[in-house]
Amino acid sequence: MNVWSIVVVILMLGVLVTIHELGHFWVASLLKIKAFEVSIFVGPRLVHWKRKGVDYSIRLIPLGAYVRFTDIDENGEAVVSDDPALLINQPRWKRLLVSLAGPFMNVVLGVLIFSALYWATGFTSLDLGVAPEGSQLYSQEYNVGDTITAVNGKRVYTYLDFYYMTDNSIPRTEKLTVSLKSAETGKKFDVVLNPELKTRPMLGITTYRTVDEKYHGWEILNVDENQNQGNPVLKVGDFLTHVDGKSVEDKDFSEFLETLGEGDTLKLTFIRNGEKIEKECVKTMITYSNDRGLRLLAYRVDSPKTVFRAFGYAAKIPMSVIILSAKSISDVFKGKEKVYNMVSGPVGVTTVVNDVVGDVDDDVGEKVYMLIVISGIISIGLTFTNLLPIPGLDGVQIILIVVEMVIGRRLSKKAENVINVVGFFLLIALVIFAFASDIIRILVG
């Protein structure tokens, strides 16, 4: 594990948690609710000042932050007071807004991260580009620039959930209905993509649709767990260059694969961490289809119109994250996904960052880009994590306040204690499950 990966993760999570806590503080300040202390990071104080009765400090260890809304006596106990400016004595709607402010700020931060990224580097839209000749879309009635609105009747918001549905959720051998909005008339219409089925040896990989200029191969984005009879030869990040001596760059490569009906193995030539490797892979014949031909247009941000379009797509990223999370959970229950892939803890996050930082094939700019994307997704993910009804997270307070609103009074201390105890055991179980999931992913990866 690269030490810089650990440093990056600590700083990333520290900043995201700090913004979350400041969200609570900013909304409380707007509602004239008294705060006693605001601490950015934790540990020994580096800088300290006091303003308008609030004790501010910046601390040494970037592992989080906190806001204190209660006074503390000499014994470290919370001081009970009927001061109307205290959070505990506020109307329920104000307390609810303060509790929701932290998760809301993580959504806002995630959207701002993606907006800034898109403004600087451009963005991928849901507008259709030119379909390659021979693809399923090629013979359909559509125009370049028409916007994809749904796939098989399910709305798509950004390229994230679009690619998930077309590359992972819906088999390529199945018919696909794409709903479009005309760029010329604004009218909505559907195109039906019917696959042409053939057989060939299974490579079991998902790749970028272009050949890498450095290695003259396909960069591997995903590897089917059934490749090589359940013992995959290729890994994510490899560059496949040849199959049985045939270059993937050759125009007749697809036709070549169709001729490989005899023999027990394939000889795969690939690049891993800059090193050329040749390995044999047990041949498994599969049914496949021709390319769907769905290409998305990317735009540079160079006008007021593209500025707003980029922000619009960034604002939809949270919806894509919700959809992908829901589909992942659904796939676990359907047996399509391993249960340990549903949750990721600090080790998992660090592993992902380490893969980015340690990738010898990406330059600094590409690594920074991916780290920004990861931070944006984690920020949005923290929103939903913090809404869980677990002690220490905002979900518990939100549920308690909502229950108060429904029954018209505070819950008894006994009821609150029961909720906190149950939530505590849920927290411990979640932490154990997250760490176990991270370790299993490392071992099986």
Side-chain angles (χ1 to χ4, degrees), residues 288-310:
Y288 75 101
S289 70
N290 57 328
D291 186 5
R292 284 173 172 155
L294 297 169
R295 304 291 188 268
L296 300 181
L297 293 177
Y299 298 94
R300 291 186 178 277
V301 177
D302 53 9
S303 68
K305 180 181 178 180
T306 51
V307 167
F308 285 108
R309 285 202 70 190

Side-chain angles (χ1 to χ4, degrees), residues 57 200 289:
S57 60
R200 72 176 183 195
S289 70

Side-chain angles (χ1 to χ4, degrees), residues 204-230:
I205 57 175
T206 302
T207 70
Y208 286 120
R209 293 184 172 93
T210 56
V211 174
D212 178 75
E213 294 182 359
K214 181 178 180 181
Y215 295 120
H216 303 284
W218 291 338
E219 182 176 358
I220 309 300
L221 302 178
N222 187 49
V223 180
D224 192 303
E225 62 182 10
N226 296 313
Q227 185 192 78
N228 195 37
Q229 296 184 331

Side-chain angles (χ1 to χ4, degrees), residues 275-322:
E275 179 185 355
K276 181 179 177 181
I277 300 174
E278 290 186 354
K279 282 190 177 182
E280 289 190 341
C281 176
V282 176
K283 187 184 298 182
T284 303
M285 301 302 291
I286 61 166
T287 300
Y288 75 101
S289 70
N290 57 328
D291 186 5
R292 284 173 172 155
L294 297 169
R295 304 291 188 268
L296 300 181
L297 293 177
Y299 298 94
R300 291 186 178 277
V301 177
D302 53 9
S303 68
K305 180 181 178 180
T306 51
V307 167
F308 285 108
R309 285 202 70 190
F311 177 77
Y313 276 110
K316 294 176 183 177
I317 290 288
M319 284 303 303
S320 291
V321 172
I322 292 174

Side-chain angles (χ1 to χ4, degrees), residues 15 20 47 101 110 128 135 141 149 164 201-202 231 245 261 284 287 305-306 314 327 331 392 419 421:
V15 170
H20 173 97
V47 182
L128 276 177
S135 65
E141 292 290 335
T149 59
Y164 181 88
M202 182 185 82
N231 186 27
T284 303
T287 300
K305 180 181 178 180
T306 51
K327 287 186 179 297
D331 286 346
I419 291 174
V421 169

